[in-house]
């Protein structure tokens, strides 16, 4: 499959044509040497790959040094997702909000745009005292899917699965999985690997929103300075 030869598709945001042909992605966070050695929080960088390990997108976090060091994983950010030609095809924006599972006024959310400036959907945290729950909506804030995670975002298994469910919560149609990266990497860095699985025929805009949901889950549950 040649990812560079995907034709224009009506209704598909420019740059996302390749997503119409995949049902899974691997999001691999890059290890920052300075961060691993001294604990100085740097901007997150991710590689988005297909099932064959080929790079599809490259994502980089944008914010200021003060926010990263003082606000840690609750910090606001813009994540710019670039294609292999360096063109920005997705922008993910998260506002600064306190994070607590005990206060429903401190719920997380983010906006996904594609192309930049054109909103395609949102990920909104739903309050629950113990389990992570999110609502995935389209650009009009109409609910489309739900994401449910394990108790307190933790699992005794090597991989931690966040299930993607239909609105009636009857059918599981995919998942976002935090994958075990090895003892040393888990202990000394906050660089994580994630897998996203979704139906091949899922709206390409919602596939883009799922990439944003993966970033939000990373920051909320796995972005910890070790």
């Amino acid at each position: 499959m040649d990812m560079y030869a995907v034709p224009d598709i009506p209704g598909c945001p420019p740059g996302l044509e390749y997503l119409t042909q995949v049902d899974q992605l691997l999001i691999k966070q890059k290890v920052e040497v300075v961060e691993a050695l001294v604990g100085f929080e740097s901007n997150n960088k991710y590689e988005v790959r297909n099932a064959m390990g080929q790079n599809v997108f490259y994502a980089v976090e944008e914010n200021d040094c003060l926010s990263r060091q003082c606000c840690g994983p609750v910090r606001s950010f813009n994540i710019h997702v670039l294609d292999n030609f360096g063109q920005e095809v997705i922008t993910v924006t998260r506002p600064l909000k306190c994070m607590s599972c005990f206060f429903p006024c401190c719920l997380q959310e983010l906006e996904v745009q594609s192309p930049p400036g054109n909103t395609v959907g949102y990920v909104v945290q739903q309050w629950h005292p113990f389990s992570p729950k999110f609502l995935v909506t389209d650009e009009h804030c109409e609910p489309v899917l739900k994401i449910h995670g394990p108790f307190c975002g933790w699992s005794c298994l090597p991989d931690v699965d966040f299930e993607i469910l239909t609105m009636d919560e009857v059918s599981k149609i995919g998942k976002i999985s935090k994958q075990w990266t090895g003892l040393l990497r888990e202990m000394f860095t906050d660089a994580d690997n994630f897998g996203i699985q979704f139906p091949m025929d899922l709206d390409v805009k919602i596939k883009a929103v799922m990439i944003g949901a993966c970033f939000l889950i990373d920051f909320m549950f796995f972005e910890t300075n070790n």
Side-chain angles (χ1 to χ4, degrees):
M1 182 186 299
D2 185 357
M3 70 180 69
Y4 303 110
V6 179
D8 292 337
I9 299 174
C12 177
L16 300 189
E17 292 85 0
Y18 180 70
L19 289 184
T20 64
Q21 303 184 16
V22 297
D23 59 2
Q24 56 183 306
L25 294 168
L26 172 66
I27 297 183
K28 184 180 181 66
Q29 185 176 353
K30 299 187 68 176
V31 176
E32 299 295 335
V33 176
V34 173
E35 183 175 339
L37 292 177
V38 301
F40 185 85
E41 187 71 28
S42 58
N43 280 329
N44 285 1
K45 300 179 180 66
Y46 304 87
E47 293 174 346
V48 182
R49 301 177 179 178
N50 60 19
M52 296 177 288
Q54 299 169 314
N55 279 359
V56 179
F57 301 121
Y58 182 76
V60 59
E61 175 192 2
E62 177 194 3
N63 57 25
D64 59 83
C65 180
L66 185 62
S67 295
R68 294 196 305 273
Q69 308 313 316
C70 296
C71 300
V74 303
R75 63 186 181 266
S76 62
F77 60 68
N78 288 318
I79 292 182
H80 305 283
V81 181
L82 314 176
D83 64 15
N84 287 318
F85 299 103
Q87 298 296 315
E88 185 171 356
V89 295
I90 302 172
T91 302
V92 180
T93 302
R94 178 201 192 188
L96 176 63
K97 289 191 175 184
C98 296
M99 190 163 60
S100 172
C101 60
F102 299 108
F103 298 101
C105 61
C106 300
L107 299 179
Q108 299 296 304
E109 62 181 51
L110 59 75
E111 177 186 359
V112 179
Q113 300 178 353
S114 181
N118 180 57
T119 301
V120 295
Y122 301 87
V123 181
V124 182
Q125 183 186 11
Q126 295 183 296
W127 184 80
H128 191 280
F130 305 114
S131 299
K133 295 181 183 292
F134 301 92
L135 192 63
V136 178
T137 77
D138 63 14
E139 64 270 34
H140 305 297
C141 297
E142 292 294 330
V144 177
L145 295 169
K146 293 183 178 182
I147 301 174
H148 289 181
F151 178 79
C152 290
W154 181 86
S155 172
C156 61
L157 299 175
D159 294 350
V160 183
D161 291 340
F162 290 74
E163 297 182 341
I164 302 173
L165 307 171
T166 54
M167 285 303 300
D168 57 12
E169 301 183 14
V170 172
S171 300
K172 173 185 172 182
I173 65 166
K175 63 181 179 179
I176 298 174
S177 300
K178 192 273 183 183
Q179 301 170 346
W180 175 255
T181 56
L183 182 61
L184 290 179
R185 183 163 173 168
E186 293 283 347
M187 288 181 61
F188 295 108
T189 78
D190 57 10
D192 299 303
N193 289 345
F194 291 86
I196 308 178
Q197 297 179 22
F198 38 56
M200 183 77 74
D201 60 354
L202 184 66
D203 187 335
V204 68
K205 296 178 182 178
I206 301 302
K207 290 183 179 181
V209 176
M210 287 300 170
I211 295 175
C214 183
F215 294 145
L216 181 60
I217 288 171
D218 181 28
F219 274 82
M220 289 183 63
F221 302 104
F222 306 107
E223 184 74 7
T224 304
N225 289 328
N226 294 301

